[in-house]
Amino acid sequence: MDVLAQEELRLDASAVDYVLLALYFAFVLGIGYLARRSVSTSLDFFLSGRALPAWVTGLAFIAANLGAIEIIGMSANGAEYGMPTMHYFWVGAVPAMLFLGIVMMPFYYGSKVRSVPEFMLRRFGKPAHLVNGISFAVAQVLIAGVNLYLLASIVNVLLGWPLWVSVLVAAAIVLTYTALGGLSAAIYNEVLQFFVIVAALLPLTLVGLHKVGGWNGLVEKISASPGGPEQLSAWPGTELTGFTNSFLSVLGIVFGLGFVLAFGYWTTNFVEVQRAMASKSMSAAQRTPIIGAFPKLLIPFIVIIPGMIAGVAVQELVAYKATETGSVDYNDAILLLMRDLLPNGILGVALAGLLASFMAGMAANLSSFNTVFTYDIWQAYIAKDRPDQYYLKMGRWVTVGATVIAVGTAFIASGYSNLMDYLQQLFSFFNAPLFATFILGMFWKRMTPTAGWLGLVLGTVSAVAVFGLSEAGVLDLPGQGASFVGAGAAFVVDIVVSVLVSVVTRRSPKPSWSVWCTRSRRGPSSRPRTRVRTRAGTASPA
């Protein structure tokens, strides 16, 4: 970010704003300190002892997703594309969240696995388990870098510190409470952060609408702006997908986003599933994503609408939208709107809300990374059969290591003018092929362990290949079309490879997947009723 951009984004914060921020950070660190008292085992640190109520895990479930993806990424999308961005919520989130609660959580929670990769171990064995564990770990440090970069950007704008100093300070804050209290600290902070985020963004939306003359005024200004009236209609969303053909655009949204990316993210992404796994019962685990679906429906009104307002009300962004040149870009939409509209006091609340969103996102990445790395990589393949306290201590050191890596990946994120482009690419690489493996493995018991890991690897490679071809100009896929096509390619390649490999390889002699899933739905202590032969030769239930 150059000096001119820093000056344009500088927020005129007063002593009142700094006091509000200080109070917020005191609460955040205090929650981490208090949560530390309840951590005595590795299960407490990584899964909150499976003891949290549904309303807590439900709000944490949605707050964990209210990081850079929602606040900066979706407001940037709102400024650039307008109403088609709504698809990320109503098509690309809520149906998959309901599917997770109703269909998937009984399998996850009933089996008492500690992570999604461990679930893969039960079905496909060690190779698929290791591939999934490594790919998930890589994805989380990359996404944590996005949240950290944005968190540091706020500190940079507010205080004028160099970006690298801001990155280190922001990382230290999140690291402190996550390493102290583990998942419990992350979850309770996410509940606090949810309310802070809403309190920050709702006034910004209302004030912004008033500035542009209400909804009718916003419609008029957007219709006259670059991009025109298409920004006011969610369908067919050709600018968002990059397809000029309306049918292909709708197909990309429904299949690429609504099915592959959405179900891949919400049903197999351990960042979200971990919150539900921390619930105190099967019923609470199922209700967690369902509770989260209600606020998810309303989040667009406090995230996307401000981005649309910024695109027509902030002069620097209006100029950038017309020429695609300038010292600001779409990622600055929320900050620019805050700078222009909010008075002191409310500005402090808004800043706290932004910081809360980025910390929630990064803490979610760190808490899921340390669980998967410790349990699914370190304990499974490097240091087996150690005392529980060893893994508890290891989890804290892994959190430190992940934070250090995220500092490096933060600078990768800084190269994108719209971070949603970057994030959707990551989801197409890692989530789409995993979902294909899951869905085929659940409903086709003939699928073999070899097919499980090979389908994952080649599915990921195909998504990376689509990205490379798009970057090289071989495929003309502007907007987020490359991620939609990449996700679709990863899904199809994974399915085709898995079927072909299963045909030519042998199944494991383990009990069938359907039998194991049935046991999982009943719970770990349940077992199917069988019949044994008595001494008299008659059968009786066992």
Side-chain angles (χ1 to χ4, degrees), residues 36-49:
R36 189 178 189 276
R37 295 180 173 182
S38 63
V39 176
S40 58
T41 68
S42 64
L43 190 66
D44 293 333
F45 185 79
F46 295 120
L47 288 175
S48 300

Side-chain angles (χ1 to χ4, degrees), residues 531-541:
R531 302 184 73 84
V532 297
R533 190 160 299 279
T534 63
R535 292 183 62 187
T538 59
S540 62

Side-chain angles (χ1 to χ4, degrees), residues 274-294:
Q274 186 182 31
R275 271 78 195 142
M277 284 184 172
S279 302
K280 64 182 179 180
S281 66
M282 173 77 80
S283 173
Q286 287 191 273
R287 282 182 281 128
T288 292
I290 296 172
I291 289 171
F294 287 98

